[in-house]
Amino acid sequence: MTKKWTPASAADGVEQVLKILEGKWKLVILFHLFGGQVKRFSELEKAIPAITQKMLIQQLRQMEADGIVTRTIYHQVPPKVEYRLTDWGQELCPALDALLKWAENQK
Amino acid sequence: MTKKWTPASAADGVEQVLKILEGKWKLVILFHLFGGQVKRFSELEKAIPAITQKMLIQQLRQMEADGIVTRTIYHQVPPKVEYRLTDWGQELCPALDALLKWAENQK
DNA sequence: CAGAATCCTGGAAGATACTG
DNA sequence: CAGTATCTTCCAGGATTCTG
């Protein structure tokens, strides 16, 4: 069972964890890595045209540090780096899916 | 039925809607209005000690403009203003609940 | 009580150029 | 290809004071 539901405890406990999702592009990136998708850096760049390289890396690195994405480096020329969700990251799916439904429901 | 699932459409469609949740305090406020809770301005202030008046109003007004909270004014002295979720706002519950679960699951 | 009106600052985000 | 390294801009957020 989850702990007893009180607004205060919910707000307090969640507040920190939600920081993981903070950042202009985090959720957008997440949607592109859903369902076990594996994407190269350049693929993410193309998929999100409005983002700059700096922002893309920055957000990816933070997500990596927070343990929701994995970075796989292939030492070859030219370089190849793949990103995918960690198990912990995958567990976000239900939540993001619910958000997606909500978003679609608006139109 | 929801539309066909593609990362691109998901990201695009959701991107705008998620702006509704942007802002340092939006989610915290939402958690305090969950389950049909009705709160006065001063109650929210007490419930979220770290927030400033300006921020509280600002975020509430944005949420009101976005159609997820309602503002009820009682013309009396002293003034009394109540906030509650709209139906549309209530539909966020499943999503936020999933986030809550995810957050709690971390520890 | 529930705001409005100012002023101000840190840091997130962007632009651009360079590199192993 | 997948990054670094700087420089710059911008505004969300905060502090403070005032008011119907």
Side-chain angles (χ1 to χ4, degrees):
Chain A
M1 283 302 107
T2 54
K3 290 195 300 192
K4 184 174 182 305
W5 219 109
T6 75
S9 70
D12 285 352
V14 173
E15 214 159 336
Q16 283 83 31
V17 182
L18 288 182
K19 287 192 174 279
I20 296 175
L21 304 180
E22 256 176 36
K24 193 172 177 180
W25 305 98
K26 297 267 181 73
L27 289 169
V28 181
I29 295 173
L30 277 176
F31 280 112
H32 282 283
L33 294 178
F34 252 33
Q37 291 176 82
V38 180
K39 295 282 181 70
R40 300 182 56 165
F41 186 84
S42 54
E43 289 181 303
L44 288 173
E45 266 193 290
K46 273 174 220 155
I48 315 173
I51 201 172
T52 61
Q53 281 192 325
K54 178 196 163 190
M55 275 301 112
L56 181 53
I57 296 189
Q58 191 182 97
Q59 307 272 295
L60 282 170
R61 289 286 153 86
Q62 286 175 20
M63 295 166 82
E64 192 191 356
D66 288 330
I68 57 178
V69 306
T70 311
R71 188 159 163 268
T72 311
I73 307 160
Y74 296 86
H75 293 285
Q76 55 185 42
V77 184
K80 177 179 170 185
V81 179
E82 288 179 342
Y83 295 89
R84 80 192 67 200
L85 294 181
T86 62
D87 291 346
W88 163 240
Q90 289 285 353
E91 289 175 27
L92 257 173
C93 287
L96 295 193
D97 207 51
L99 275 180
L100 200 56
K101 296 269 169 43
W102 183 71
E104 286 178 342
N105 198 3
Q106 178 172 47
K107 54 168 176 289
Chain B
M1 285 303 108
T2 55
K3 290 195 298 193
K4 184 172 181 304
W5 219 111
T6 75
S9 70
D12 285 352
V14 173
E15 212 159 335
Q16 283 82 32
V17 181
L18 289 182
K19 288 192 175 277
I20 295 176
L21 303 180
E22 256 176 35
K24 193 172 178 181
W25 306 99
K26 296 266 181 76
L27 288 170
V28 181
I29 294 172
L30 278 177
F31 281 113
H32 283 282
L33 293 178
F34 253 34
Q37 292 178 80
V38 181
K39 293 282 180 72
R40 299 183 56 166
F41 186 83
S42 53
E43 289 181 304
L44 288 174
E45 265 192 292
K46 273 175 219 154
I48 314 171
I51 201 173
T52 62
Q53 281 192 325
K54 178 196 165 189
M55 276 301 113
L56 182 53
I57 294 189
Q58 190 181 97
Q59 307 272 296
L60 282 170
R61 288 287 155 84
Q62 286 174 20
M63 294 165 81
E64 192 191 357
D66 288 329
I68 57 177
V69 307
T70 310
R71 189 160 163 267
T72 311
I73 307 159
Y74 295 87
H75 292 286
Q76 56 185 40
V77 184
K80 177 178 170 184
V81 179
E82 287 179 343
Y83 294 90
R84 80 192 66 199
L85 293 182
T86 62
D87 292 346
W88 164 241
Q90 290 285 354
E91 289 175 28
L92 257 173
C93 287
L96 295 193
D97 207 52
L99 275 180
L100 200 58
K101 296 270 169 45
W102 183 71
E104 286 177 342
N105 199 4
Q106 176 171 50
K107 52 167 176 288

